Amino acid sequence: MPAIFDATTKITKGVRTVAALSVAGALLLSLSGCTHYDTSKPGDVRKAAAAHGASGALATGAVDCRKAKCIALTFDAGPSENSPRLLDILKVEKVHATFFLLGKGHMDKHPDLVKRMAREGHELASHTWDHKILTDISDAEVRDEFKRTDDAVEKLTGKRPTLMRPPQGRTDNHVGELAKKEGLAQILWDVTTKDYKVPPSRTITERAVQHAKRDSIILLHDIYKNTVPAVPGVIDQLKAKGYTFVTVPQLLAPGKAEPGKIYKP
């Protein structure tokens, strides 16, 4: 920073102040990202669907999140060597989650786990192919990040993803337009445990439970060693509080995620 202002030593103090504020403002904007986009809440999606006559459009035996206190567990950036244990836990607990799968080094390395996730009733979605920041790359690269992942999931499971989570949650209206062309809705979150910093499993559990509320979408990662051991506590404690675990599409039902739109509790 001092080098920036050496060139202004002969300028008046007032001008130097303006220059300093301009630099600080530019830095703040770069850090914040300054991106703008609209989001839709799960409860609003359900209400809108009901208003359009879809009030009874729930699958047989499905949880009705208009009545139940629903919550969604989501896992990013897998599958990994930790995923089998996670799937075992979810199966015992009879909980279905939403997996935002990463292509390179994950799906291509663990195709059998992708198949198992689909077979056991979990919702499979995209976290892109190579975890590139979508707001920083070209349109062609964004489309490739979407298409390669969707093609891989469809090849393994026979079903093409309809949901996507942008890496680091960084998106904007233009990314939304590109996602719409690929048939993808974007799903953000309202609860993060910051498990990417690898805190103790106990801390991950406490953060998830403390911040959860009705219609929450909880962000976790099955690639970090302390996350999976935290999951039983998250499930048990939230069940004790009356929550029912659902996938993201179930959370929105009888509404549906629309391609290009962004959903966040």
Side-chain angles (χ1 to χ4, degrees):
M1 290 295 290
I4 295 176
F5 293 106
D6 284 344
T8 66
T9 53
K10 295 183 180 181
I11 304 177
T12 65
K13 182 178 180 181
V15 173
R16 287 202 301 271
T17 301
V18 171
L21 290 173
S22 297
V23 172
L27 178 60
L28 180 61
L29 287 173
S30 67
L31 290 174
S32 66
C34 198
T35 54
H36 299 281
Y37 48 81
D38 294 325
T39 63
S40 298
K41 296 180 180 296
D44 293 338
V45 176
R46 296 193 299 265
K47 289 177 183 177
H52 287 83
S55 58
L58 287 173
T60 302
V63 176
D64 189 342
C65 293
R66 294 165 297 181
K67 301 175 182 178
K69 193 163 70 168
C70 292
I71 199 164
L73 277 181
T74 67
F75 296 90
D76 281 13
S80 75
E81 63 276 5
N82 302 314
S83 300
R85 183 181 175 191
L86 173 60
L87 291 171
D88 289 344
I89 292 168
L90 296 175
K91 188 173 184 178
V92 169
E93 296 286 354
K94 298 181 180 179
V95 166
H96 289 140
T98 303
F99 287 91
F100 290 91
L101 303 172
L102 192 61
K104 185 178 179 181
H106 294 270
M107 276 199 295
D108 58 1
K109 189 176 180 180
H110 303 285
D112 289 344
L113 289 177
V114 177
K115 294 177 181 179
R116 179 182 171 186
M117 290 171 178
R119 187 170 63 249
E120 295 183 357
H122 302 289
E123 183 72 21
L124 303 190
S126 169
H127 197 42
T128 74
W129 184 258
D130 202 19
H131 208 265
K132 293 177 180 176
I133 303 303
L134 301 179
T135 53
D136 292 345
I137 59 179
S138 70
D139 288 8
E141 289 176 298
V142 172
R143 287 192 292 267
D144 186 62
E145 288 289 308
F146 292 161
K147 189 174 186 303
R148 290 184 71 182
T149 310
D150 293 349
D151 286 350
V153 174
E154 186 174 29
K155 182 177 180 180
L156 290 170
T157 69
K159 183 179 178 182
R160 198 168 186 82
T162 59
L163 307 178
M164 182 273 292
R165 176 167 285 161
Q168 297 182 11
R170 292 173 59 182
T171 189
D172 56 24
N173 289 332
H174 184 62
V175 170
E177 293 173 2
L178 297 173
K180 183 177 182 179
K181 293 178 180 178
E182 184 61 28
L184 294 168
Q186 299 183 72
I187 308 298
L188 301 182
W189 63 89
D190 65 315
V191 177
T192 176
T193 64
K194 297 184 179 179
D195 60 342
Y196 50 85
K197 294 185 177 181
V198 199
S201 297
R202 180 181 65 257
T203 301
I204 295 172
T205 298
E206 290 172 350
R207 288 172 177 172
V209 174
Q210 178 184 357
H211 297 291
K213 61 183 185 297
R214 183 175 184 177
D215 287 347
S216 277
I217 297 175
I218 300 176
L219 169 64
L220 294 165
H221 300 78
D222 50 332
I223 57 174
Y224 300 116
K225 64 179 182 180
N226 290 348
T227 298
V228 172
V231 172
V234 173
I235 294 173
D236 289 346
Q237 292 184 44
L238 289 178
K239 279 185 175 179
K241 289 176 177 286
Y243 288 98
T244 298
F245 289 91
V246 296
T247 64
V248 170
Q250 290 171 333
L251 189 66
L252 303 179
K256 293 183 179 181
E258 297 182 27
K261 289 193 174 182
I262 303 172
Y263 297 86
K264 179 180 179 181

